[in-house]
Amino acid sequence: HKHGEWSFFGEDGALQSKGQFEEGKKQGKWKHYAATGWKYEVKMFEKGKRILPHFTYFENGQLNSKKTIDSLQTWYESSVLNSVLLRRNGEDKGKCVQYWPNGVKAREFFESQRNRNLDYDDYWDTTGVKINRYKFSQLRWELELTEWLPDYN
């Protein structure tokens, strides 16, 4: 059985990943590296099974994403927050807020069902002025109407 700290290398000799084994199973923090040597991902393991949190990084070392049981957060490479998804029951559904690169809220929506139907979907311009709001029933009706209307172009 593998035990202790291990490192894995590609055919070119570049470090690909490193982490701990306990009784032959991955345990704790595992770091993954690009061929050019930068850390692009950190995964967590418990008795060989992936658990949260999970992190990804930009080449400059800035955090790109962080996934926990409660949320999924992403950032622009400039370190400005890109989006926050409040996860429900450990799944990627729930309230999501997205931001413009200048930090102003761009979109907010809520997904309560697994089938990607949105309960509401709001949009803002880059100055923070609310542009539109859709409710699920309105989106559904507009889609049905669009499919029914002939294309005159």
Side-chain angles (χ1 to χ4, degrees):
H1 289 287
K2 293 177 185 171
H3 196 79
E5 186 166 321
W6 281 69
S7 296
F8 294 89
F9 299 88
E11 290 180 17
D12 61 356
L15 179 64
Q16 290 182 328
S17 64
K18 68 179 178 180
Q20 295 280 331
F21 278 97
E22 287 185 12
E23 298 178 7
K25 296 180 180 178
K26 289 181 177 181
Q27 182 66 29
K29 183 186 296 187
W30 275 78
K31 297 177 184 178
H32 297 266
Y33 299 86
T36 55
W38 60 279
K39 177 179 68 177
Y40 70 88
E41 185 175 41
V42 174
K43 296 178 182 177
M44 301 297 289
F45 288 87
E46 188 172 293
K47 297 180 182 177
K49 295 185 179 171
R50 278 191 51 191
I51 60 170
L52 297 173
H54 176 242
F55 305 91
T56 61
Y57 298 87
F58 291 107
E59 190 169 0
N60 67 7
Q62 168 65 36
L63 188 62
N64 178 322
S65 69
K66 176 183 176 184
K67 187 174 194 174
T68 66
I69 192 73
D70 299 321
S71 69
L72 171 61
Q73 297 173 284
T74 62
W75 288 266
Y76 290 103
E77 197 164 359
S78 65
S79 78
V80 172
L81 187 63
N82 180 315
S83 66
V84 177
L85 170 64
L86 301 177
R87 303 176 78 224
R88 294 178 58 215
N89 303 319
E91 296 184 23
D92 289 343
K93 61 181 182 178
K95 179 181 175 180
C96 183
V97 180
Q98 298 171 331
Y99 299 90
W100 293 106
N102 65 1
V104 172
K105 185 191 293 189
R107 182 180 181 202
E108 180 178 307
F109 61 89
F110 186 86
E111 178 186 5
S112 61
Q113 303 297 318
R114 189 95 173 112
N115 59 4
R116 301 265 183 232
N117 290 328
L118 302 178
D119 293 351
Y120 69 83
D121 199 357
D122 296 344
Y123 292 86
W124 288 262
D125 69 16
T126 56
T127 65
V129 175
K130 194 169 193 175
I131 304 170
N132 221 334
R133 176 167 209 175
Y134 292 101
K135 292 183 181 172
F136 173 63
S137 58
Q138 179 183 359
L139 282 172
R140 186 173 179 184
W141 181 83
E142 287 177 6
L143 288 173
E144 288 172 0
L145 182 63
T146 304
E147 290 173 5
W148 178 80
L149 290 174
D151 185 7
Y152 292 108
N153 295 337

